[in-house]
Amino acid sequence: MYLIRESVALNSEVTKMVVEAPEIARKVLPGQFVMMRIDEQGERIPLTVNDADPQAGSVTIIFQAVGATTIRLASLHAGDALLDFAGPLGRPTDLKGAKRACVIGGGLGTAIAYPQAKWLFEQGSEVDVITGFRTKDLILLSDELAQVSTRLIVMTDDGSNGNKGLVTEALSRRIEEGADYDLVLAVGPLIMMKFVAATTRPYGIKTLVSMNPLMIDGTGMCGGCRVKVGDSYRHACVDGPDFDGHQIDFDDAMRRAALYRPQEQQAKDHECRLQQEANR
Amino acid sequence: MMSTDVNRSKVKTPVAEQDPTARAKNFDEVCLGYTLEEAHEEALRCLHCPDEPCTKGCPVSVPISAFIQALAEEDPARAYATVKSVNSLPAICGRVCPQENQCEGACTRGRKGEPVAVGRLERFVADWAPGHQQEAHAAIEALGHKVSPEVAALAASKSVAVVGSGPASLACASELAKCGVQVTVFEALHRAGGVLTYGIPEFRLPKDLVAREIAAIEATGAHFELNSFIGKLYSIEELMDERGFDAVFIGTGAGLPSYLGIEGEGLNGVSVANELLARVNLMKAYLFPHYETPVHVGKHCVVVGGGNVAMDAARTARRLGAEVTVVYRRSREEMPARVEEVDHAEEEGVSFHMLANPVRALGDDAGWICGLECLEMKLGEPDASGRRRPEPIEGSAFTMECDMLVVAVGSSSNPLIAETTEGLDTSGRGLIVADDETGATSIPGVFAGGDAVSGAATVILAMGAGKRAAKGIAGYLGL
């Protein structure tokens, strides 16, 4: 069992959880993920590591309550425990050599992009961070990101923070202003990553995207997480989760992401019913 | 009947099985096993040939004549202890070994009629034991050979890391733990057993039973660390340097799936067998939504392949409610699957389309598979495997209805350990190079065996390799 040391709601949808996992905390690198299972009936789900503290022996995950498992996970408290927590999985993000990077996070992707920005900043790189949210109440990690970036630009879809627009608009603007990026890293919804890649393509800027497909074992065994890169399929769990954004077939990835949507809805309804009954 | 009279029956004592119609709708075990009376009757069919061809045919050399003799004498405790002395997983081997190619294939009775049902008898003694633990334990004590205090003290000072917890690793861990070595088994998934747990379905190998066999190995002193993916959490080098293990055994199997490489393989509704089986066996998706992992089930499922994994996938899809057709590019005779598995699948309503090969998966507007285009094949000259090579027949293209495609065309070794272990020699196919007899690899103190070395094979061959490596490791440790 893996003890939950801390669980904090960052906004109405997103929860930050600190889990006791000393071995993983010592080994994990930016971009890597864990596979977790709440209990015997639970699904195994991949969650990218947000932060780790080797001294304290803890790993931080940040997740959005969107499906049955994450809704249930969000209902757990400090002192509860997770049955399984395995990692670090996947390849660390290849950030070496980047001098002028732009790290882009969309929604929850901001939490996943944080360790990359931090690592780059600590290596002495210039780091622009662009984050995007639907509205200002959902803005995440601005204080944390401000500390590990040269420049932080926070966008909202509805302009409620006074900065209306998409992350791609901010990115285009920065490129036009002369930001000579040698690396763009995008973490967020597939549609966002698709358009970030489309934005950087004409400039030939190296662009990495973090794929988060369906996954079961996370060890390269089941092929559930295959993503189309160029002409071939690769396993996001062992070959990724980061890939060259200019090679990824995002339409294929979006189609595959919808594979289990009816069952996900069914499981979510089931979970919501259980929680309502429990609260009654 | 006196216990020494030979039972002259030319056929095996029949064994009870779940009715095919009923079992095609449930995940309960198909074969129900012998009763004590039936086991006794079957044991009396053994001629106890002095040269023991059956034992020679067994990859772990179970003393078959001796255990069957004990059964014939109505002493199941001794029979159990005899099997267990060389085979740490008898309940599993009794169920999934291809006995027809091994012990039973070599049985003298098989020359005129059916061989002695060694597999069913092994399963019987293994299943008998949990209900008679004291007797079983006493019999093991009586048979056990004592280790000298010096060797025991030396063994207790040595520690071995076993990577993976499938058949090869379990056999290796069990042998070393029995010697008194401190053994730690590292498993990447949340449950031990490797392919026994994620791959082979419940109806062929109940998971409670796998857990019981593993618990028995734990009881001998082996320690299991689950959720520990070696190559990521620790490298092999770190296991030895940071964790201080004196030796390492790599038994990581052949978990990497192969694909057909045809157009449309990325469509929704297409998976490899590993995914279907992992969802159903490891995650219990057949109990969705009580268990939260879902599994896609189509109306018309096509399984491509002719091996045991293909049969497992077909029978699993059948139980989930699909109409299932197995497509195989050769003919029934060339199928690598066990005859029993093919027969069971057929009884359960699985159809077979032999001599056909998929060339393209067709998708609908939403990106879901809706058909499978195949070519009819004919058999040409024998290839390197000795089987006649399938060749496409020109102009024979036809389309099958298909909204669920399961690809079961083999698997290869997971490359992670090889990639993360400097100095570990591998072959062209990514298999670890290890000595046949000792399991020694190119790195001193690092041993390997099972599918990670041989490529995808059987449970019992992996166990044999694990046992030999345990001896190799004991030798390396000076035991």
Side-chain angles (χ1 to χ4, degrees):
Chain A
M1 300 289 275
Y2 300 80
L3 181 73
I4 298 169
R5 287 199 182 153
E6 196 185 321
S7 178
V8 194
L10 296 186
N11 62 38
S12 58
E13 296 172 353
V14 174
T15 305
K16 170 176 149 180
M17 197 171 259
V18 180
V19 179
E20 191 169 293
E23 288 175 301
I24 301 173
R26 276 205 301 276
K27 302 280 176 178
V28 68
L29 292 168
Q32 291 191 297
F33 65 95
V34 294
M35 292 295 302
M36 60 78 58
R37 201 169 65 130
I38 298 174
D39 56 20
E40 179 54 32
Q41 282 75 38
E43 260 194 291
R44 282 172 71 90
I45 62 160
L47 290 171
T48 304
V49 171
N50 163 257
D51 208 353
D53 185 338
Q55 272 75 47
S58 64
V59 170
T60 304
I61 49 175
I62 296 185
F63 58 91
Q64 193 163 4
V66 283
T69 303
T70 42
I71 290 173
R72 204 145 63 88
L73 189 59
S75 73
L76 300 180
H77 307 284
D80 290 339
L82 305 173
L83 184 57
D84 300 301
F85 201 77
L89 302 176
R91 293 175 193 266
T93 310
D94 181 15
L95 300 168
K96 285 193 198 77
K99 298 270 183 293
R100 292 169 308 280
C102 181
V103 176
I104 302 174
L108 181 71
T110 306
I112 300 163
Y114 170 76
Q116 274 94 338
K118 183 177 163 191
W119 191 90
L120 285 164
F121 193 73
E122 285 171 356
Q123 300 300 306
S125 311
E126 238 179 79
V127 186
D128 283 2
V129 173
I130 303 172
T131 60
F133 303 90
R134 288 204 309 277
T135 184
K136 79 173 187 327
D137 293 343
L138 300 177
I139 292 174
L140 291 173
L141 302 183
S142 288
D143 294 346
E144 289 85 345
L145 284 165
Q147 285 172 28
V148 296
S149 59
T150 323
R151 184 183 280 101
L152 172 66
I153 304 168
V154 182
M155 310 295 290
T156 47
D157 294 354
D158 64 359
S160 53
N161 73 332
N163 207 8
K164 183 177 162 88
L166 302 171
V167 292
T168 41
E169 294 170 45
L171 173 65
S172 295
R173 208 154 47 230
R174 285 293 300 138
I175 295 173
E176 280 156 24
E177 283 166 14
D180 183 21
Y181 298 131
D182 52 11
L183 174 71
V184 169
L185 176 81
V187 191
L190 287 168
I191 191 78
M192 181 207 91
M193 295 193 290
K194 177 181 173 173
F195 282 102
V196 167
T199 305
T200 58
R201 194 189 309 265
Y203 301 97
I205 303 169
K206 178 182 172 186
T207 301
L208 293 176
V209 295
S210 177
M211 301 301 282
N212 185 21
L214 295 172
M215 222 176 255
I216 306 168
D217 60 289
T219 65
M221 196 182 77
C222 80
C225 68
R226 58 194 196 274
V227 289
K228 198 169 183 189
V229 187
D231 291 331
S232 60
Y233 278 93
R234 309 279 300 278
H235 290 176
C237 64
V238 288
D239 301 326
D242 298 327
F243 293 99
D244 178 349
H246 297 148
Q247 294 281 314
I248 286 279
D249 183 336
F250 285 101
D251 296 334
D252 188 83
M254 283 186 253
R255 180 171 51 68
R256 287 190 61 78
L259 224 161
Y260 277 99
R261 209 147 277 164
Q263 290 91 338
E264 284 162 7
Q265 190 59 45
Q266 193 187 340
K268 186 178 170 178
D269 294 346
H270 183 77
E271 178 56 34
C272 292
R273 261 199 315 278
L274 289 179
Q275 291 207 352
Q276 278 167 8
E277 279 167 26
N279 292 338
R280 206 169 281 160
Chain B
M1 199 191 304
M2 286 284 290
S3 65
T4 46
D5 287 346
V6 172
N7 171 352
R8 297 280 167 196
S9 168
K10 286 207 186 324
V11 295
K12 292 177 180 178
T13 307
V15 68
E17 285 178 352
Q18 262 203 85
D19 173 69
T21 327
R23 74 182 193 234
K25 296 189 183 69
N26 70 46
F27 279 83
D28 299 339
E29 194 173 13
V30 169
C31 178
L32 303 174
Y34 279 154
T35 61
L36 180 60
E37 291 70 29
E38 288 163 344
H40 181 243
E41 193 182 321
E42 182 63 17
L44 294 176
R45 291 186 65 230
C46 180
L47 302 174
H48 301 286
C49 311
D51 58 339
E52 301 185 50
C54 47
T55 296
K56 293 199 180 91
C58 173
V60 297
S61 307
V62 168
I64 292 165
S65 171
F67 101 76
I68 293 183
Q69 181 62 42
L71 272 180
E73 291 171 15
E74 298 181 331
D75 187 352
R78 198 176 93 231
Y80 173 72
T82 305
V83 173
K84 193 81 179 170
S85 68
V86 297
N87 182 348
S88 47
L89 306 170
I92 292 165
C93 293
R95 286 169 168 84
V96 303
C97 265
Q99 288 101 4
E100 61 277 14
N101 303 328
Q102 300 172 5
C103 50
E104 294 184 18
C107 177
T108 309
R109 290 297 305 257
R111 289 186 209 157
K112 286 182 184 169
E114 289 183 351
V116 175
V118 180
R120 291 176 192 170
L121 291 176
E122 183 179 34
R123 171 191 162 141
F124 170 78
V125 298
D127 289 358
W128 174 90
H132 304 81
Q133 287 189 22
Q134 280 182 342
E135 289 163 76
H137 191 71
I140 286 174
E141 289 285 298
L143 267 191
H145 25 248
K146 299 280 175 276
V147 184
S148 74
E150 295 77 29
V151 173
L154 182 60
S157 73
K158 302 291 184 186
S159 66
V160 175
V162 172
V163 181
S165 67
S169 293
L170 291 177
C172 182
S174 166
E175 292 299 314
L176 290 169
K178 271 196 273 183
C179 299
V181 175
Q182 293 183 52
V183 179
T184 303
V185 181
F186 292 90
E187 167 57 46
L189 297 176
H190 57 257
R191 188 160 293 135
V195 73
L196 307 171
T197 294
Y198 74 75
I200 303 177
E202 179 79 19
F203 54 83
R204 206 149 74 78
L205 183 63
K207 301 307 144 212
D208 284 353
L209 184 150
V210 175
R212 196 174 76 205
E213 295 276 46
I214 290 170
I217 293 173
E218 263 185 302
T220 64
H223 172 68
F224 285 72
E225 291 191 16
L226 305 177
N227 292 322
S228 302
F229 193 21
I230 300 306
K232 291 287 179 191
L233 190 61
Y234 297 103
S235 66
I236 300 294
E237 198 182 349
E238 286 168 338
L239 283 176
M240 300 179 89
D241 297 348
E242 273 182 41
R243 294 284 303 256
F245 289 102
D246 298 302
V248 177
F249 174 76
I250 303 169
T252 46
L256 195 73
S258 301
Y259 293 90
L260 290 166
I262 61 170
E263 185 187 329
E265 207 167 8
L267 288 165
N268 289 2
V270 182
S271 72
V272 292
N274 273 1
E275 180 177 350
L276 173 69
L277 295 173
R279 283 182 184 274
V280 174
N281 298 328
L282 179 69
M283 305 309 300
K284 301 199 187 303
Y286 62 100
L287 302 173
F288 179 84
H290 177 55
Y291 277 74
E292 290 171 354
T293 303
V295 60
H296 165 67
V297 186
K299 285 195 177 69
H300 302 281
C301 170
V302 176
V303 175
V304 183
N308 287 320
V309 175
M311 295 307 107
D312 285 346
R315 298 172 69 195
T316 296
R318 183 81 186 118
R319 281 163 172 76
L320 294 170
E323 291 293 326
V324 182
T325 307
V326 171
V327 168
Y328 179 55
R329 63 195 182 132
R330 293 178 155 104
S331 68
R332 187 152 178 160
E333 277 164 45
E334 285 85 18
M335 281 178 85
R338 295 183 68 194
V339 172
E340 180 183 297
E341 303 307 324
V342 181
D343 290 349
H344 275 154
E346 200 161 42
E347 287 165 19
E348 290 160 11
V350 171
S351 313
F352 290 84
H353 195 126
M354 298 298 175
L355 289 164
N357 202 28
V359 287
R360 189 159 65 111
L362 309 172
D364 63 17
D365 292 344
W368 280 83
I369 185 170
C370 61
L372 186 66
E373 192 178 305
C374 300
L375 286 176
E376 303 281 5
M377 309 292 276
K378 61 175 193 254
L379 293 179
E381 295 302 308
D383 64 10
S385 73
R387 295 179 299 176
R388 294 175 62 192
R389 186 193 303 274
E391 294 164 0
I393 299 173
E394 293 241 356
S396 66
F398 67 100
T399 301
M400 300 175 72
E401 213 172 339
C402 174
D403 57 2
M404 175 184 185
L405 176 64
V406 184
V407 177
V409 294
S411 57
S412 55
S413 157
N414 191 324
L416 182 66
I417 298 277
E419 282 171 10
T420 56
T421 311
E422 209 178 313
L424 185 67
D425 285 354
T426 55
S427 74
R429 288 190 299 154
L431 301 172
I432 298 169
V433 177
D435 185 88
D436 264 356
E437 274 317 300
T438 63
T441 68
S442 54
I443 302 176
V446 178
F447 297 74
D451 284 4
V453 171
S454 64
T458 62
V459 168
I460 189 69
L461 286 172
M463 287 183 61
K467 267 189 82 168
R468 288 195 300 279
K471 274 209 181 103
I473 292 169
Y476 172 79
L477 297 175
L479 299 174

